Amino acid sequence: MGDQEVKLFSLWASPFGKRVEIALKIKGIKYEYFEEDLSNKSSELLKYNPVHKKLPVLLHNGKPVCESLVILEYIDETWKSERSLLPEDPYARAMARFWAKFIDDKCIAAMWGARKNSEGQEEGIEELTEHLKTLENELKGKKFFGGDEIGLVDITADLIALWLGVLLELKGIELLTKEKFPRLCEWIDDYLDHQIIKETLPDRETYRDFLLKAKF
Amino acid sequence: MASEEVVLLDCWASMFGMRVRIALAKKGVHYECIEQNLAHKSPLLLEMNPIHKKVPVLIHNNKPICESLVIVQYIDEVWNDKAPLMPSDAYQRAQARFWADFIDKKVYDAAWKIWRTKGEEQEGAKKDLIENLKVLENELGDKTYFGGETFGFLDVALVTYYSWFYTLEKLGNLSIEAECPKLIAWAKRCLQIESVSKSLPDSKKVLDFVLGLKQRMGI
């Protein structure tokens, strides 16, 4: 699997793009990174993701793969000799896929809700609280969602580990606390302390400044 | 794999439940189907899918699996001795998963709005539906199935929507066949497969069901 051309089109501030970078690094895959400008999408992006025109896009030997969760599974299946992102057992795999989907379908929607400035915000916070409780519960007895090592669900939850905390701080919402979510907060600490995660995710302050400037 | 307990919690009109039924039929798996009343959710459903409280739920040896595409992949991995649904090539698998995700985001959204809204919102949804079905028709190209020569995962993901086309056409006043003839031809080819035809309900029954729903919802 050595000499293969791997390119990643992404955005430094995107949790979806960062997921792919984390996966590539866990697998020890060399890749070429291309930073995109959303206000001026490159012709490559439009060529490789004509359907959604979104990031990230992984290009492997000239063939594009889009949608972060699809890319993660593709990486796991293609570079099989390295550490696995998904468990071997079909039931455990199904659970991993279920939780990754839960984070992407439910948590993101709730985060957008909590982001609102007016009436919608309370409902958004309520929904977010419920989902965080669900995740808190799922973490019981495990260091990471993937068990002893980070896996597909942990990688998908990068937005819970970093993006959510920054968003809540900027909105002055005290939700993600050790009192309310002890396991989840412990997971965040362990996750952000992981060598590859530390190397890959943006610095919290840098991201915070970016959001402030973007008038989030 | 012999003595296994397989139970499916489903609702006959659910296009998501139909996917699981097709997959189980293709694999020749014996299972018990417990029809659910979504207006009065059963304790079993709430216990097996506490997070979403939705169908379908596959219960395999007392362990629940939720979300139709997760379930179909699970079925394919467990009963891997016959009728493989996922492509064998990793890139083709990524393509299948990409398009299945497209279907559930774009096609589902538009379909949902067609039967629930009217006026400008419905018109917008009709336009979106046709546009997205055309994208899928383009992806199908001249292939027999989305999976190529063999009926596969992506065919399973989309063909169940076909049972709702009649409803969408009647409620939305549109003709999907006129706009996407190749797609309809593909759907009819799929219906020649026994596992598919026995898993899809009668289209007119779906319309009656939706009309009943609309009445109860006051829309």
Side-chain angles (χ1 to χ4, degrees), chain B residues 183-211:
Chain B
L183 202 63
I184 299 301
W186 157 81
K188 290 181 176 167
R189 274 198 296 279
C190 292
L191 279 164
Q192 301 293 316
I193 301 170
E194 201 194 334
S195 323
V196 179
S197 60
K198 75 177 194 186
S199 304
L200 259 53
D202 177 79
S203 291
K204 297 201 167 98
K205 275 199 175 143
V206 175
L207 175 61
D208 286 339
F209 170 79
V210 175
L211 289 172

Side-chain angles (χ1 to χ4, degrees), chain A residues 49 51-52 63-67 70 73-74 77-78 90-91 93-95 97-99 101-102 106 134, chain B residues 51-52 63-67 70 73-74 77-78 90-91 93-95 97-99 101-102 105-106:
Chain A
N49 192 357
V51 175
H52 298 302
K63 298 198 290 190
V65 186
C66 309
E67 291 300 301
V70 175
E73 287 218 46
Y74 175 75
E77 289 173 4
T78 305
Y91 188 76
R93 291 165 73 81
M95 290 302 103
R97 288 175 178 138
F98 173 85
W99 286 110
K101 196 170 190 300
F102 172 79
K106 296 287 192 176
T134 303
Chain B
I51 291 164
H52 300 298
K63 297 200 290 191
I65 304 113
C66 310
E67 294 298 301
V70 175
Q73 288 182 86
Y74 174 80
E77 289 172 13
V78 172
Y91 187 75
R93 277 202 293 282
Q95 294 308 97
R97 287 178 180 133
F98 172 85
W99 287 111
D101 175 72
F102 174 87
K105 288 191 173 117
K106 303 280 190 174

Side-chain angles (χ1 to χ4, degrees), chain A residues 101-161:
Chain A
K101 196 170 190 300
F102 172 79
I103 290 166
D104 262 6
D105 290 352
K106 296 287 192 176
C107 297
I108 291 180
M111 277 169 72
W112 284 117
R115 211 192 118 208
K116 289 186 186 144
N117 281 320
S118 52
E119 326 142 1
Q121 198 191 56
E122 211 181 289
E123 206 184 298
I125 295 175
E126 232 176 81
E127 210 189 312
L128 190 56
T129 307
E130 199 188 306
H131 297 328
L132 293 178
K133 279 188 187 149
T134 303
L135 291 175
E136 170 86 9
N137 217 43
E138 179 54 23
L139 272 170
K140 289 203 163 77
K142 294 193 286 205
K143 182 175 184 187
F144 296 111
F145 289 102
D148 292 329
E149 272 293 349
I150 64 174
L152 179 83
V153 183
D154 301 277
I155 299 173
T156 306
D158 67 344
L159 56 82
I160 306 277

Side-chain angles (χ1 to χ4, degrees), chain B residues 39-92:
Chain B
H40 299 284
K41 294 179 183 185
S42 70
L44 182 61
L45 177 61
L46 298 176
E47 184 196 337
M48 292 292 147
N49 192 355
I51 291 164
H52 300 298
K53 308 176 179 55
K54 285 181 176 178
V55 293
V57 180
L58 187 78
I59 311 171
H60 183 203
N61 294 334
N62 293 311
K63 297 200 290 191
I65 304 113
C66 310
E67 294 298 301
S68 65
L69 297 179
V70 175
I71 300 172
V72 172
Q73 288 182 86
Y74 174 80
I75 290 169
D76 200 38
E77 289 172 13
V78 172
W79 289 277
N80 56 15
D81 52 338
K82 70 186 263 201
L85 295 171
M86 287 298 264
S88 50
D89 170 70
Y91 187 75
Q92 294 307 322

Side-chain angles (χ1 to χ4, degrees), chain B residues 2-219:
Chain B
S3 50
E4 310 219 352
E5 199 191 74
V6 184
V7 176
L8 174 64
L9 304 184
D10 195 10
C11 171
W12 68 268
S14 161
M15 60 191 89
F16 304 107
M18 288 171 216
R19 290 168 168 173
V20 180
R21 282 183 257 146
I22 293 174
L24 289 169
K26 267 252 149 220
K27 302 284 188 175
V29 177
H30 293 294
Y31 65 99
E32 186 195 350
C33 185
I34 307 179
E35 187 70 18
Q36 300 297 301
N37 177 354
L38 296 179
H40 299 284
K41 294 179 183 185
S42 70
L44 182 61
L45 177 61
L46 298 176
E47 184 196 337
M48 292 292 147
N49 192 355
I51 291 164
H52 300 298
K53 308 176 179 55
K54 285 181 176 178
V55 293
V57 180
L58 187 78
I59 311 171
H60 183 203
N61 294 334
N62 293 311
K63 297 200 290 191
I65 304 113
C66 310
E67 294 298 301
S68 65
L69 297 179
V70 175
I71 300 172
V72 172
Q73 288 182 86
Y74 174 80
I75 290 169
D76 200 38
E77 289 172 13
V78 172
W79 289 277
N80 56 15
D81 52 338
K82 70 186 263 201
L85 295 171
M86 287 298 264
S88 50
D89 170 70
Y91 187 75
Q92 294 307 322
R93 277 202 293 282
Q95 294 308 97
R97 287 178 180 133
F98 172 85
W99 287 111
D101 175 72
F102 174 87
I103 291 165
D104 278 354
K105 288 191 173 117
K106 303 280 190 174
V107 177
Y108 179 74
D109 222 51
W112 194 92
K113 285 186 181 139
I114 290 175
W115 74 263
R116 284 189 181 225
T117 68
K118 40 187 192 234
E120 226 175 275
E121 202 178 348
Q122 195 194 48
E123 287 305 308
K126 281 160 66 175
K127 195 166 153 282
D128 284 343
L129 180 75
I130 296 301
E131 196 178 292
N132 292 317
L133 289 179
K134 282 190 168 155
V135 171
L136 286 163
E137 195 179 49
N138 196 50
E139 178 56 24
L140 176 68
D142 291 318
K143 300 198 292 279
T144 311
Y145 302 105
F146 281 95
E149 282 310 304
T150 341
F151 177 87
F153 177 76
L154 190 50
D155 301 282
V156 176
L158 185 60
V159 78
T160 62
Y161 279 75
Y162 179 74
S163 65
W164 277 65
F165 281 1
Y166 182 72
T167 299
L168 299 176
E169 287 176 326
K170 287 284 171 237
L171 295 180
N173 191 28
L174 75 155
S175 166
I176 297 173
E177 185 154 16
E179 302 278 359
C180 307
K182 277 184 157 179
L183 202 63
I184 299 301
W186 157 81
K188 290 181 176 167
R189 274 198 296 279
C190 292
L191 279 164
Q192 301 293 316
I193 301 170
E194 201 194 334
S195 323
V196 179
S197 60
K198 75 177 194 186
S199 304
L200 259 53
D202 177 79
S203 291
K204 297 201 167 98
K205 275 199 175 143
V206 175
L207 175 61
D208 286 339
F209 170 79
V210 175
L211 289 172
L213 256 186
K214 280 169 73 81
Q215 201 175 49
R216 280 196 300 280
M217 289 164 73
I219 51 166

